[in-house]
Amino acid sequence: MAWPFLPSDPILSLRAIAVTRGGVPVLSDVSFDLGAGEAVILRGPNGSGKTTLLRTIARLQPPLSGEILGEVDDIAYAAHADGIKGALSVAENLRFWADVFGTGAIDAALSAFDLRGLRDRAAQHLSAGQKRRLGLARLLVTGRRIWALDEPTVSLDAASVALFADALQGHLTAGGAAIIATHIDLGFDARVIDVSAFRAVACDDFDGAFL
Amino acid sequence: MIRLVLRDLALAVRAGGGFGLGLAFFLIVVVLVPFALGPETTLLAVIAPGVLWLGALLACLLSLDRIFALDFEDGTLDLLACAPVPLEGVVAAKAAAHWITTGLPLTLAAPILGVLLNLPGPGFWWLVISLAIGTPALSMIGAFGAALTVGLRRGGLLLSLLVLPLYVPTLIFGAEVARRGAVAMTLEAPLLLLAGITLGVLALLPFAAAAALRINLR
């Protein structure tokens, strides 16, 4: 992919974004820049709008106002649900996504999340933590520059969190970037943004909920 | 997109029931009709094309709600929406996979079941042709209905109500082709209309279904 920005330029910019969930504005006036090699951690209590903000950044829903600058095809989104098909094996699940994203190779991703020994196991027989590792390994086969991750470490043990931190560090070193909603400390320096500072004021726009 | 079709086919084969459900339903309907109506071969020969078409349509309807519901529940649909495949392409691939697992087996099984209904000789050929042309429209319309109802719990009832009226033109012209074929009448007009409906549906509905999916994913 062509590199449309200088390394010092942000690869993703949020300008005064307001997001809604179920027709109710939850965050307003969110602005930040994300540069290559940078990670941003979103914090905030449950229901404060972290997931909604990530879905908006992934263009799964439009912002209520404001604009997002950056390539749409730069973002890999990982949510609470991993999108794993139980009837397929670990390798087949991963290869499907590698083919969809046009990258092809899955071995590096399997190694990075210690899934080699499980590659022919049907995904329905994996534990919750193993499924999560498979879901995270999917990020490596997307070849996308910006990872938008929603609670990536849920149900991971300490060793797996370390694997994830290593993979993330490698991604950042290679010029990638990440926006992560998490409650735990991943063990490296990252800019922390507390979304509760952007809480939207209750809005009286009655028609807005229907549009 | 081809990858998505292959994955859906693999899932249908391994999970079981993917190919079997619609086919078994079709078989049951067609086998039971002669028992219900009595063994009058002349009557059966008259109603055979209509019964076969109706059975195929209802069998198609059975598996519609699974087109997007499973992918929606496990988060795959969110991830596909972010993937470099356009959502219109995802819809087309899902409809194609549905047709291969439902419409195609129904089309191939129809002539065998036609024997049970004493379908007249010349009708077999036209029955298969009309089903081969008509069932892709059933899958595509069904994918559109499934896209509209994807976020709903127990959306199956609403899906049936939405989809059935849209199925009527295909049923009318499809059954008409099969009926005229069975009595060796000219059938260009209904055949062309059936093909026209299918082509129009295949051209337009992927875009409508993708728009519905985008709204449901918000």
Side-chain angles (χ1 to χ4, degrees):
Chain A
M1 181 186 293
W3 199 269
F5 304 102
L6 294 171
S8 58
D9 281 344
I11 54 178
L12 183 77
S13 282
L14 272 63
R15 302 277 168 81
I17 296 291
V19 299
T20 62
R21 178 165 176 81
V24 180
V26 286
L27 296 174
S28 65
D29 209 23
V30 183
S31 299
F32 64 83
D33 289 342
L34 189 68
E38 194 181 5
V40 165
I41 306 245
L42 300 177
R43 290 204 198 278
N46 294 144
S48 57
K50 300 185 294 297
T51 298
T52 312
L53 181 59
L54 282 172
R55 288 180 70 85
T56 308
I57 290 170
R59 315 306 208 269
L60 285 169
Q61 60 181 65
L64 185 64
S65 62
E67 59 177 341
I68 302 171
L69 305 176
E71 293 272 321
V72 180
D73 282 346
D74 261 354
I75 295 171
Y77 173 67
H80 299 279
D82 290 315
I84 291 169
K85 292 296 176 191
L88 302 180
S89 74
V90 168
E92 284 170 328
N93 267 297
L94 212 49
R95 186 162 294 119
F96 167 68
W97 290 110
D99 289 345
V100 165
F101 282 88
T103 50
I106 61 165
D107 286 335
L110 284 173
S111 311
F113 284 96
D114 194 20
L115 291 165
R116 278 187 175 282
L118 300 168
R119 64 180 296 153
D120 295 321
R121 183 89 62 90
Q124 61 197 345
H125 299 135
L126 297 182
S127 75
Q130 289 168 332
K131 277 185 187 161
R132 193 82 255 223
R133 263 150 59 196
L134 176 55
L136 292 171
R138 187 187 63 84
L139 292 168
L140 291 173
V141 303
T142 59
R144 296 267 169 108
R145 273 204 298 168
I146 303 171
W147 291 356
L149 311 179
D150 195 358
E151 306 275 6
T153 54
V154 168
S155 69
L156 290 185
D157 58 18
S160 302
V161 171
L163 285 177
F164 168 66
D166 284 349
L168 183 61
Q169 195 69 61
H171 175 66
L172 297 179
T173 314
I179 306 166
I180 306 163
T182 185
H183 296 290
I184 70 153
D185 187 12
L186 290 171
F188 62 88
D189 284 338
R191 191 145 54 100
V192 174
I193 293 177
D194 190 344
V195 295
S196 47
F198 301 106
R199 185 177 292 275
V201 284
C203 135
D204 252 354
D205 183 11
F206 182 76
D207 289 336
F210 297 96
L211 297 175
Chain B
M1 273 173 63
I2 292 168
R3 207 34 241 196
L4 188 57
V5 176
L6 293 178
R7 187 202 65 153
D8 273 16
L9 294 182
L11 286 173
V13 172
R14 292 203 203 160
F19 286 96
L21 181 65
L23 209 52
F25 180 81
F26 189 38
L27 180 78
I28 290 167
V29 168
V30 175
V31 168
L32 289 185
V33 163
F35 289 119
L37 292 181
E40 294 173 48
T41 49
T42 48
L43 175 64
L44 285 176
V46 171
I47 62 164
V51 168
L52 286 165
W53 248 94
L54 189 61
L57 184 144
L58 293 176
C60 218
L61 199 62
L62 268 184
S63 50
L64 287 184
D65 59 335
R66 292 163 53 110
I67 294 183
F68 292 115
L70 297 178
D71 278 347
F72 180 77
E73 280 162 16
D74 67 15
T76 307
L77 211 50
D78 278 348
L79 303 179
L80 279 174
C82 300
V85 187
L87 215 44
E88 289 80 2
V90 171
V91 171
K94 294 294 243 178
H98 180 263
W99 181 72
I100 294 171
T101 52
T102 320
L104 188 60
L106 291 178
T107 305
L108 297 177
I112 300 161
L113 296 177
V115 175
L116 295 177
L117 293 179
N118 193 33
L119 186 69
F124 283 91
W125 189 228
W126 291 110
L127 176 70
V128 173
I129 290 179
S130 67
L131 282 171
I133 294 176
T135 46
L138 300 183
S139 288
M140 193 63 239
I141 294 170
F144 170 61
L148 280 176
T149 56
V150 71
L152 304 176
R153 298 266 168 269
R154 305 264 166 239
L157 173 64
L158 184 59
L159 173 60
S160 308
L161 290 175
L162 282 171
V163 158
L164 273 179
L166 300 175
Y167 273 4
V168 168
T170 299
L171 177 65
I172 290 173
F173 292 114
E176 183 68 4
V177 169
R179 187 187 70 80
R180 291 194 185 189
V183 294
M185 286 166 66
T186 56
L187 41 68
E188 280 83 5
L191 187 64
L192 289 176
L193 279 165
L194 180 67
I197 292 167
T198 299
L199 291 174
V201 159
L202 293 181
L204 295 176
L205 283 189
F207 297 95
L213 277 183
R214 286 201 183 91
I215 290 170
N216 277 329
L217 284 180
R218 275 181 194 173

